[in-house]
Amino acid sequence: MMKQILCCATLILSLSLFSCTSEHFLKETDYRAKVETDFQAKKDILNQGNLFAVFDSQLTTPEREALMFLYAYMTPGDIADYSGEFYLNNVRQSLQLRKESSWGKTIPDLIFRHFVLPIRVNNENLDNAREVFSKELWPRVKDLSMLDAVLEVNHWCHEKVVYQPTDIRTSAPMATVKTAYGRCGEESTFLVAALRSVGIPARQVYTPRWAHTDDNHAWVEAWVDGQWHFLGACEPEPVLDLGWFNAPASRGMLMHTKVFGAYDGPEDVMQQTANFTEINIIDNYATSAKVDVTVVDKDQQPVSGANVEFKVYNYAEYFTVAKRTCDEGGHTSLSAGLGDMLIFASANGQYGIQKVSFGKDKNVVVVMDKTEGTPVDMTVDIVPPAENAKIPTVTPEQRQANSARMAHEDSIRHAYEATFPTEASLQAFADSFKDKSAAVIAFLIKSRGNHQDIQTFLQNAQAKNMGERALALLGTLSDKDLRDTPCSVLEDHLYQTSDTASVTEVLAPRIENELLTPYRSYLKQAIPADLQAKFKQNPQELVNWCKDSLIIRNDLNTMSTVTSPIGVWKARITDTKSREIFFVAVARSMEIAAWKDAVTGNIYYRIGEEKPVHVDFDNATVKHTAEGMLKMNYKPITRLANPKYYVHFSISKFDNGSFRLLNYPEDATWESLFKQGTNMEAGYYLLVTGSRMADGGVLSNVTCFTIEEGKTTTIDLVMRDNAEEIRVIGNVNSEAKFNLLDGTETTILNTAGRGYFIVGILGVGEEPTNHALKDIQLKKEDFEKWGRGMILLFTSEEAYKKFDKKNFPNLPSNITFGIDTDGSMRKMIAENMKLTHGGQLPVFIIGDTFNRVVFESHGYTIGLGEQMIHVIKGL
């Protein structure tokens, strides 16, 4: 009887489990078979380190298939650096939210699979944001419509984060919350994570580079009731499809989004990789046109398999925004906004360069008639797309209600920021470091929400008489490192390195732009003692070990992420960049001086005082860098005495069939680098110069040259000039009125006096205005030397109250702040200058009291200060 009962119970349990697990997450049979095949292939490749143990646990069919989908398309680093339990928890939460949300049942499987389930948005490090965000957000949105939920989530994001430029490493969503600000890539990653945490499909959209100005931008699209809509991350508007970037986006050349996994949606596919499908959604924002490209050799024969790079002029370089591979007939194509690009085609040691104008050119032939060493000198005139913004309607009531909400959200965020340490609150702690107290205070203030970790690190080190060494370590870090590195990571590096080791070449945790991890203690334990001894005795043995023991599969990591040194050791399969960082990490853990050169990207090690050895993983022999000297002659053009790197010119080195930018410091100039000459690695180089015009166009010059070992190469730095003199482009009423901050009514003339002046109308807290003010700060000395009046106006009293001058401490002293109380100043400028939609903020003009305007800028413009000083010097 008992046996029968047990058998019945077992049968019932089996049927119950079957009924719970039989429903497929991957419902399409063909797609499920593809995922299973790709998953098995990934499992076969990553066959060390027991990286797939989570699949041995008890899983339902939907959980197993969802995990399979993630693992099939994750990078080796994401598999090695994060636990299976981490991914399983995220999968379970996503599946549960789909059941609980009112919109879950309306989301097609394709959309849910690619735009809700994935944790990774771009190249940020992963964290538990989905779990944390969901707990706080779900009660706020669960009873809303899908559209209102999207708007609400963005308001919540604004409570946590505002825009502030940061370095290129993308912080994780939780770290962004801790900091309370982030650049656009971090804000958009943050918003996507927040939307997905409540089961709303979302994707990060970005323009690789703007065509009409320097820099780029990223924002978010959310899927609402069957349609994709865009919004500015952490910049809530009353309606969707509205942001400060409507106008610049209409001038974009390409808009991309990286969709996790093998995606077969309706959009134009740019490329399909082992990790993502990149789609082109330019038509959501701007008018586009297709160009067919044919690549031929010098004998006019089609080149099958040629690599084609489409390049946009930006930051004084031609930046690759799209890559294509030619078919057997040498053909490829691209759809882009109606502006100009440069095409670079290469194959079999040959290359060709050709300008293309989308909307004008339908068929372009690129002739590969150049090889490494071919001298090149060519002029290129670049015309960006024209503005054609579509702005949705917002009622005054909607605008007022939204502004009130944003002011409240600012107060919430400011209350959190008020918990950060101040100089006064830190003084007592800092005094224990005696003459280093100022450095202690500076580090802790920069650390913002991470101040407790940094303070604990310093406190513990001071107790062990290692306070100065700890400060030296912090001095090697970026500001972002201070904001998101735990105490435990810093202590691993401090206490696992001898007191006498070089600070910059051994102690420093940072190698390139990777997330800092506690790799030293792990590597010292994991690497066998005899192998460590060989590495220390001869670092070239470490080079050989990396060459022989690590399998390089760049095709498996196309996300620009970095596998941690620990992850590389576990998996033994990695990418080129992660191998380089791993090499330096192991070397430093063995107290071998090693580093990655910030300018060239070369890897070096050094023994004692010997000459640095250039690491070449493809060649086992020891080699030193062959160098020559580069000098540039420059004949100054009007108003430009000393061209700046990244602003007026850049240099790239030919490497493996393409040109790779040299990353000199941001303050580098012709005088500081090349007037007297700079030692550079021997090789073939590309010099790009450009003069950006007020309409966004560029007068560019491209030069290719060779640097030979032991020789000095002298070339001309050619800056093309606009032959057209400064001219009147509009008119302004110098008697136009505004209010000073104390409420006194005045005019431009009364404030600035007779002569030239600048008037700017600001969009407080908005990214374009922040960029403009920071650009003006950089030219403080020039503006003060000019001495004329600069009038910066807020759009309202409320906007003025939101402005925090502490964020812009170096503005010129000749600025007068005021309020355009009734909007009449903005209206007058917009009408006289024929600006659409009232002129996207910020609006700047240079005019005079004869009511003439000689310069105008509105909306998103990088280098505004430089542009205005350029005009001023010509007045």
Side-chain angles (χ1 to χ4, degrees), residues 373-523:
T374 302
V376 175
D377 190 3
M378 60 185 289
T379 59
V380 185
D381 292 350
I382 296 294
V383 178
E387 183 180 316
N388 185 27
K390 297 177 177 61
I391 310 293
T393 301
V394 175
T395 67
E397 293 76 18
Q398 286 176 311
R399 177 58 61 201
Q400 184 175 6
N402 194 70
S403 298
R405 280 206 67 176
M406 291 182 70
H408 176 64
E409 291 151 14
D410 286 336
S411 68
I412 294 172
R413 190 177 59 261
H414 291 158
Y416 165 64
E417 291 178 300
T419 66
F420 296 169
T422 62
E423 185 172 345
S425 69
L426 292 170
Q427 194 63 58
F429 172 75
D431 284 344
S432 66
F433 289 79
K434 298 180 181 177
D435 62 328
K436 303 291 183 180
S437 63
V440 171
I441 290 171
F443 285 135
L444 287 169
I445 287 177
K446 287 179 180 179
S447 65
R448 293 178 68 82
N450 196 44
H451 61 89
Q452 193 60 58
D453 275 80
I454 302 300
Q455 187 163 346
T456 299
F457 169 66
L458 289 172
Q459 192 168 357
N460 292 347
Q462 185 79 327
K464 297 180 180 183
N465 296 317
M466 296 184 68
E468 286 201 22
R469 189 71 171 171
L471 286 171
L473 186 153
L474 293 181
T476 70
L477 305 184
S478 69
D479 289 353
K480 186 172 289 181
D481 294 333
L482 295 171
R483 299 194 297 266
D484 69 0
T485 305
C487 172
S488 58
V489 173
L490 298 174
E491 290 188 338
D492 175 82
H493 292 279
L494 180 64
Y495 302 136
Q496 293 293 326
T497 308
S498 67
D499 295 350
T500 57
S502 165
V503 172
T504 56
E505 296 176 2
V506 177
L507 174 63
R510 169 143 314 289
I511 299 166
E512 192 177 0
N513 60 354
E514 75 284 4
L515 178 75
L516 299 186
T517 57
Y519 56 75
R520 293 191 201 233
S521 55
Y522 178 91
L523 293 174

Side-chain angles (χ1 to χ4, degrees), residues 49-271:
N50 196 25
L51 301 177
F52 295 81
V54 67
F55 289 92
D56 297 330
S57 55
Q58 190 171 358
L59 304 170
T60 66
T61 299
E63 289 170 353
R64 181 174 296 277
E65 291 182 356
L67 274 175
M68 258 199 328
F69 170 71
L70 293 178
Y71 273 74
Y73 304 111
M74 284 195 292
T75 66
D78 280 356
I79 294 174
D81 284 334
Y82 303 93
S83 71
E85 288 70 28
F86 167 76
Y87 293 113
L88 179 57
N89 289 339
N90 277 271
V91 164
R92 285 174 172 165
Q93 184 176 349
S94 298
L95 295 177
Q96 186 64 30
L97 270 169
R98 192 179 192 186
K99 292 178 181 178
E100 293 181 2
S101 63
S102 61
W103 46 80
K105 67 178 82 68
T106 70
I107 301 173
D109 292 340
L110 174 77
I111 298 296
F112 183 87
R113 180 171 70 226
H114 294 279
F115 301 106
V116 177
L117 183 69
I119 302 107
R120 177 167 297 290
V121 179
N122 200 306
N123 61 357
E124 77 283 6
N125 64 291
L126 305 181
D127 62 16
N128 64 335
R130 185 166 303 206
E131 178 183 1
V132 175
F133 291 1
S134 182
K135 287 179 180 177
E136 189 169 339
L137 270 170
W138 182 242
R140 289 174 61 157
V141 303
K142 64 179 181 178
D143 296 323
L144 300 178
S145 69
M146 201 172 190
L147 187 151
D148 289 337
V150 170
L151 296 174
E152 183 65 26
V153 169
N154 207 20
H155 277 289
W156 177 84
C157 288
H158 183 243
E159 291 176 13
K160 307 292 185 183
V161 177
V162 291
Y163 174 79
Q164 184 86 331
T166 66
D167 66 39
I168 62 171
R169 178 169 68 83
T170 304
S171 65
M174 292 295 293
T176 304
V177 171
K178 185 183 281 191
T179 299
Y181 64 65
R183 57 176 168 78
C184 61
E186 290 162 331
E187 287 182 304
S188 52
T189 296
F190 176 60
L191 175 55
V192 170
L195 288 166
R196 290 180 181 177
S197 79
V198 290
I200 295 175
R203 61 195 189 190
Q204 183 187 56
V205 177
Y206 61 97
T207 179
R209 293 290 175 98
W210 294 119
H212 70 286
T213 188
D214 292 332
D215 211 1
N216 61 359
H217 190 51
W219 57 94
V220 173
E221 286 187 349
W223 188 91
V224 179
D225 300 328
Q227 298 288 330
W228 287 103
H229 297 272
F230 71 84
L231 61 163
C234 309
E235 300 166 337
E237 292 284 357
V239 297
L240 296 176
D241 300 320
L242 179 62
W244 63 259
F245 52 89
N246 283 64
S250 73
R251 304 189 73 182
M253 294 291 289
L254 288 173
M255 306 297 174
H256 292 176
T257 190
K258 291 179 179 177
V259 185
F260 182 89
Y263 172 69
D264 53 356
E267 298 91 347
D268 175 33
V269 173
M270 297 291 294
Q271 61 173 324

Side-chain angles (χ1 to χ4, degrees), residues 634 640-645 648-649 668-671 717 719:
Y634 172 59
L640 184 58
N642 185 20
K644 295 177 64 177
Y645 200 78
H648 303 111
F649 74 101
T669 65
W670 164 70
E671 285 188 350
L717 177 64
M719 292 299 308

